[in-house]
Amino acid sequence: GENFRRKARMVAGGHMTVTPAALTYASVVSRDRVRICLTIAALNDLKVLACDIQNAYLTAPCREKIYTIAGAEFGSNQGKIMIITRALYGLKSSGAAFRALLSEVLWDMSYRPSRADPDVYMRPAVKDNGFKYWEYVLVYVNDVLCISDKPELTSAGIQRKFKLKDDKIEEPSMYLGASLSRMINAENKSCWAMSSDEYCQAAVKNVEDVLAKDNLRLSSKCYTPIANGYRPELYVSCELKSDGIQYYQELIGVLRWAIEIGRVDILLEVSLLSQHLAMPREGHLEQVIHIFGYLKIHKKLRLLFDCGDPNHHDSRFKEYDWFDFYRGSEEAIPSDQPEPRGLCASSSIFVNADLAGDRKNRQSQTSILIFMNKSPI
């Protein structure tokens, strides 16, 4: 879990059962959809409430035909054959069973999955002043975000069907390991911001504990994500052994998640080092540890999901004639797209490329930045 906390549960031996032919997992909302919806919330002055469904899988009926023979812990019932009726943790279909149950509850509340993401549910709504907008429910297994002018109504509807952890329905302060908070943008409007400070702090401490076993520590002079002038494809050093490879891959995974929840400043460097996951070398591991030293020094970084209008000057862009290549082309707009509701938003896409930047195989590195208004998506 977030901050490397550990949990223990009694789980079924799902590895002993046959894999069902149908869906077996609970799909989750993507991080970019979360950013989009938080931007929409600020744009349309909507509130955001979060709740966490307790013992989620056990609320759903078991989709498989499973039995167990009671052991000594069942007392006088020892030796009896017992039919499993609830979606126990560990069974292959439990995730899908819970997702189907929660989706049915939201469907009965008139929410419908969006075309872009089946775990973003939408419902048309109108404010007291007549303003039309969409209400949203975002689902990440059992973590639910409700975005609406009156999100407490949707949250209460979910609470009637499920037991919530500590019976809490409140503004989110944490979501998927990231800290959520409010900030004021340049237009003096309250917007949501996401920070990975707590996650990165725990990740750095974890690395420091491993280094301390060999009487090593993170450098205090990591002013850039990787050392100046370092090219991972050129600097040849000894290959890591199996345990070193596994540790390298674990650290890359930690850094990738840190990027997902806010640390976009290390995206390029982690991308370059991720190209060596199959056969990392000692120098690659040193640079990954260097990134953690950089995170230790540069602690505070927040992504502001700014709903303000961007101010792009036409002079920044060049026009090109693509008529010969795209003659007669039209934008493909779905005929059944949802009704436009709420205030308008714009999208801006910036692209850059390091052509043939890899000194060894001449591969290129392309970077794409997508904004909704001023919000980095």
Side-chain angles (χ1 to χ4, degrees), residues 281-310:
R281 298 178 180 272
E282 291 178 354
H284 298 143
L285 180 58
E286 291 174 0
Q287 292 303 314
V288 168
I289 293 176
H290 182 98
I291 295 178
F292 282 92
Y294 171 83
L295 293 177
K296 182 178 180 179
I297 297 174
H298 301 80
K299 297 180 180 179
K300 300 295 182 181
L301 185 79
R302 285 191 288 183
L303 289 183
L304 174 62
F305 303 123
D306 192 344
C307 63
D309 293 324

Side-chain angles (χ1 to χ4, degrees), residues 305-320:
F305 303 123
D306 192 344
C307 63
D309 293 324
N311 186 16
H312 298 316
H313 296 285
D314 293 340
S315 59
R316 296 181 60 189
F317 303 95
K318 296 181 180 179
E319 290 190 7
Y320 296 92

Side-chain angles (χ1 to χ4, degrees), residues 204 207 211 217-228 230 251 255 266 269 273 282-298:
V204 168
V207 172
L211 293 177
R217 61 180 182 179
L218 293 174
S219 173
S220 60
K221 297 181 179 180
C222 301
Y223 304 118
T224 57
I226 58 177
N228 187 31
Y230 178 78
L251 294 183
L255 292 174
I266 62 172
E269 292 76 13
L273 291 169
E282 291 178 354
H284 298 143
L285 180 58
E286 291 174 0
Q287 292 303 314
V288 168
I289 293 176
H290 182 98
I291 295 178
F292 282 92
Y294 171 83
L295 293 177
K296 182 178 180 179
I297 297 174
H298 301 80

Side-chain angles (χ1 to χ4, degrees), residues 5-74:
R5 293 181 298 179
R6 293 177 172 83
K7 293 181 179 180
R9 287 193 179 97
M10 296 296 293
V11 300
H15 62 287
M16 302 170 62
T17 65
V18 178
T19 302
L23 184 72
T24 61
Y25 63 93
S27 58
V28 296
V29 63
S30 64
R31 269 74 65 193
D32 54 346
R33 283 358 183 255
V34 174
R35 299 176 188 133
I36 290 172
C37 289
L38 290 177
T39 305
I40 292 175
L43 182 65
N44 296 302
D45 292 321
L46 303 179
K47 302 173 186 175
V48 180
L49 291 180
C51 59
D52 193 350
I53 298 174
Q54 183 173 313
N55 298 328
Y57 287 7
L58 299 179
T59 62
C62 183
R63 285 184 165 187
E64 304 173 55
K65 293 182 178 179
I66 302 291
Y67 75 90
T68 184
I69 298 177
E73 64 273 15
F74 285 87

Side-chain angles (χ1 to χ4, degrees), residues 245-257:
I245 293 175
Q246 181 179 353
Y247 186 54
Y248 181 86
Q249 294 170 344
E250 290 175 359
L251 294 183
I252 288 291
V254 171
L255 292 174
R256 282 180 170 177
W257 187 250

